[in-house]
Amino acid sequence: MTIFRYELKQLKKNIIIWALSMGVLIFLMLPTYIGFTSGGDPLMAEAMNNNPLFEALGVGTAFVMTPLGMFSFLGSFAMIAAAIHGMSIAFSSHTKEYESKSAEFLLTKPHSRGEVFWGKFFACTVDSLLVGIAYTAGAGLALLTVKNVSIDWRAFLLIAGSLVLVELMFVVFGIVAGTFFSNVRTPVLMSSCVMLALFCLSTMSMKINQPILGYLTPFAFFKPMNTVKTGFYEWNFVVWYVVLGVGLLLTSYRKFLKKDVVFGG
């Protein structure tokens, strides 16, 4: 718990900034964009009809015209930010030890490698969960301000939860990257590159209708239209999500227990 509390304390400012930013932005943007689509403007309807962007993001035009559809559309972009955030904080939790010549590692000397590894992981997980809660709360409050609409709150929570799940998978990616490539000095840049590559892969899989490619990118695991239609996530992706996440964590854990740590400056 000592490592967990210490790492969480280091992330305190990050949590506040990201939670407020995600929550406030979705609160301000969601009612505005829903207003655009519900105003009956023929020019807006024509611009949205058969828009390739919607297809690439896995949402149809008719779906985007609904409140949950617009939430899913905006959520696709929020998911990009959340992915970078999740991977970068986890990546940085390891690379900072090498950048600072292991100064922070010295503080953990009385503790086992396992405590260090899991303390970092769970601190990053709590960070991501709190940001996700703020995002969900902001979106929920925004929908409550929209008049004359009916919301399926179960579907809403599932769509909002998909952002949290994707961010947590990128936390795992960050832990893997930090464990195997601890000397990287630009974790945010590397996280952004990984996110961009996986996001492009997701859009390509939807564009060319090749679902098998979706197993290679978390962005394709939780499709909002299918979630609303079936009332839950697709089970094949849920199982793959758990297997992939646990497998990567255990691989990183075994590597971390055996890797050399250089103390001193």
Side-chain angles (χ1 to χ4, degrees):
M1 288 297 291
T2 302
I3 308 301
F4 169 75
R5 288 195 296 267
Y6 176 76
E7 292 291 334
L8 197 58
K9 183 178 180 181
Q10 299 299 302
L11 291 169
K12 181 179 178 180
K13 184 177 180 180
N14 179 289
I15 294 172
I16 294 173
I17 292 173
W18 273 89
L20 288 176
S21 298
M22 295 284 281
V24 171
L25 283 175
I26 193 64
F27 176 78
L28 295 175
M29 294 176 65
L30 187 54
T32 303
Y33 277 77
I34 290 176
F36 289 157
T37 58
S38 61
D41 188 341
L43 292 178
M44 177 64 68
E46 183 180 353
M48 296 182 67
N49 189 38
N50 297 322
N51 192 316
L53 176 61
F54 299 146
E55 182 182 354
L57 295 177
V59 293
T61 303
F63 183 57
V64 174
M65 299 294 285
T66 67
L68 286 182
M70 182 53 68
F71 174 50
S72 301
F73 174 69
L74 295 177
S76 299
F77 299 99
M79 200 173 285
I80 292 174
I84 296 175
H85 170 250
M87 183 169 178
S88 63
I89 59 172
F91 202 166
S92 300
S93 71
H94 287 268
T95 60
K96 67 182 180 182
E97 313 298 356
Y98 286 81
E99 186 176 354
S100 62
K101 303 298 183 180
S102 300
E104 294 188 34
F105 248 117
L106 289 172
L107 298 177
T108 68
K109 191 174 181 180
H111 303 279
S112 68
R113 291 278 188 94
E115 289 179 273
V116 174
F117 180 88
W118 294 114
K120 290 177 178 294
F121 169 69
F122 285 120
C124 295
T125 297
V126 170
D127 180 320
S128 298
L129 288 174
L130 291 175
V131 171
I133 290 171
Y135 171 80
T136 303
L141 290 173
L143 289 174
L144 289 174
T145 66
V146 180
K147 298 179 180 179
N148 302 320
V149 296
S150 177
I151 305 297
D152 182 345
W153 291 104
R154 173 185 167 82
F156 164 78
L157 290 175
L158 287 170
I159 294 172
S162 65
L163 178 139
V164 179
L165 291 173
V166 169
E167 183 172 4
L168 289 177
M169 182 56 74
F170 273 87
V171 168
V172 174
F173 291 166
I175 292 292
V176 173
T179 301
F180 284 88
F181 307 102
S182 302
N183 289 318
V184 172
R185 298 299 180 91
T186 54
V188 176
L189 176 61
M190 295 301 296
S191 299
S192 300
C193 291
V194 171
M195 178 284 301
L196 180 61
L198 293 177
F199 185 77
C200 290
L201 183 61
S202 173
T203 58
M204 183 175 71
S205 71
M206 297 179 188
K207 188 69 176 178
I208 65 177
N209 195 26
Q210 289 294 331
I212 191 66
L213 294 177
Y215 287 93
L216 303 177
T217 167
F219 290 112
F221 289 179
F222 310 103
K223 301 178 181 66
M225 288 182 63
N226 291 344
T227 299
V228 172
K229 183 178 179 180
T230 63
F232 197 66
Y233 307 127
E234 297 172 81
W235 278 107
N236 52 328
F237 282 111
V238 172
V239 173
W240 173 237
Y241 179 94
V242 174
V243 170
L244 179 63
V246 172
L248 290 175
L249 272 179
L250 292 180
T251 301
S252 300
Y253 178 64
R254 292 186 63 181
K255 172 66 175 178
F256 189 81
L257 293 180
K258 298 177 181 178
K259 70 182 296 184
D260 294 330
V261 179
V262 180
F263 292 93

